Amino acid sequence: MTPSPQARALRGFAIDFLTAHDPSAVAWVMDPAYRLSIGGHLFDGRDDRYLPATVAQLDQFPGLTVTVHDTILGTEGVAMRFTEHGASLRDDGRMAAWRGITLFRLAGDRLSHGWAEEDYFARKRQLKSGIADPVEPPALAPWDRPVLPPDTDTDAIVRDWLPRWHTDPATEAVLVDGPSFDDLVAVETATLSHLFTAGPRAACHIVCDGRYTGGFTDIDAALVGEPVVLRLAAMIDTAEGRVTRAQVSGDRLGLHRDLINRHRG
């Protein structure tokens, strides 16, 4: 069975480019005008901005591997939940496994804009301690899922769920150890950066504004109550008019750095 163009693009990103450490693969995986939004930063341009930053990470982790745990394949976008893992040359060969979610808009058969949030906070902890987190089992057939069209009912369900994502029992945080999202932020508003649906499934990027609640042990308690931003990427399942599962990855490191900078300032 030949993979769909959508599966081929997503597999090309995860396997042919990142796991195989082959930058030439981006020529057919990504549109030349590719953009990545991650952690509040925009890498605008495939060859000039995105590729140098990603190759630098591949150089740091020469054996880096991407293990894919879940995928969504749609006619308008694709998404995956994954773990990146490897040993860091900058950290005396210490190993780390950090989790994340990424979603992409498509332009023809290539990726045109990506939104991602990875748990670099967990990576930093592991590279310091020398104790790596476990890697969950891979999806059995991540590239063989059906490609589904947009669904207006799914879109409406996700938009209705958005303001209460952090209190819904269906929400699963894609992280290991350390403070939870609730420990860190009292969410006041949640805004969609991007959303696509594929049948009963959806993927989205979310920007949450709120107040810091004191979850970091090394941050001055005087900063509790300060306005903060938490960025998230999510993969969502729906059924019978409601969200049944929401896998959510967040930028804990970006939040931590913002608070550290405020304390120093």
Side-chain angles (χ1 to χ4, degrees):
M1 183 173 66
T2 302
S4 65
Q6 293 85 351
R8 185 171 181 268
L10 191 57
R11 185 179 67 178
F13 170 74
I15 306 302
D16 298 84
F17 172 35
L18 294 180
T19 298
H21 293 232
D22 182 5
S24 70
V26 301
W28 60 268
V29 170
M30 296 173 173
D31 187 85
Y34 178 78
R35 313 169 82 199
L36 172 66
S37 302
I38 182 170
H41 303 285
L42 176 64
F43 295 90
D44 194 355
R46 184 189 71 189
D47 298 336
D48 295 336
R49 298 293 306 280
Y50 169 76
L51 194 55
T54 304
V55 169
Q57 177 171 265
L58 296 177
D59 289 342
Q60 179 183 351
F61 292 87
L64 183 139
T65 298
V66 177
T67 296
V68 178
H69 309 292
D70 192 10
T71 57
I72 298 175
L73 303 178
T75 56
E76 293 188 347
V78 293
M80 67 179 189
R81 178 172 66 86
F82 60 91
T83 301
E84 288 185 288
H85 45 102
S88 171
L89 291 180
R90 297 180 191 172
D91 299 276
D92 300 321
R94 288 190 286 272
M95 294 179 289
W98 60 102
R99 303 178 180 190
I101 288 175
T102 185
L103 55 141
F104 300 94
R105 178 187 289 146
L106 296 168
D109 294 342
R110 292 192 287 187
L111 311 176
S112 65
H113 191 152
W115 292 261
E117 298 301 343
E118 301 183 31
D119 194 8
Y120 294 121
F121 184 80
R123 184 177 77 174
K124 183 177 180 180
R125 165 179 52 78
Q126 295 166 69
L127 294 178
K128 182 178 180 180
S129 70
I131 302 172
D133 290 340
V135 179
E136 293 181 337
L140 292 179
W143 320 120
D144 300 315
R145 294 182 178 275
V147 178
L148 300 176
D151 186 279
T152 55
D153 289 339
T154 302
D155 185 283
I157 292 167
V158 172
R159 292 180 188 275
D160 179 67
W161 164 86
L162 184 64
R164 60 178 187 278
W165 71 267
H166 53 293
T167 60
D168 192 328
T171 298
E172 302 175 9
V174 179
L175 54 79
V176 177
D177 203 9
S180 69
F181 300 139
D182 277 344
D183 291 335
L184 295 172
V185 181
V187 176
E188 296 172 348
T189 62
T191 305
L192 286 171
S193 308
H194 184 66
L195 165 67
F196 79 86
T197 61
R201 307 196 74 194
C204 61
H205 186 266
I206 307 165
V207 178
C208 296
D209 292 284
R211 300 281 173 175
Y212 175 57
T213 52
F216 293 123
T217 58
D218 58 343
I219 296 293
D220 191 339
L223 292 176
V224 171
E226 282 287 301
V228 291
V229 175
L230 177 64
R231 294 173 176 85
L232 310 166
M235 293 172 61
I236 300 163
D237 293 89
T238 69
E240 299 180 348
R242 64 184 181 88
V243 170
T244 56
R245 186 188 189 196
Q247 303 170 84
V248 180
S249 179
D251 181 24
R252 295 191 294 176
L253 184 60
L255 175 60
H256 185 266
R257 284 176 171 169
D258 177 44
L259 291 166
I260 288 287
N261 290 337
R262 292 191 205 186
H263 177 70
R264 290 173 178 169

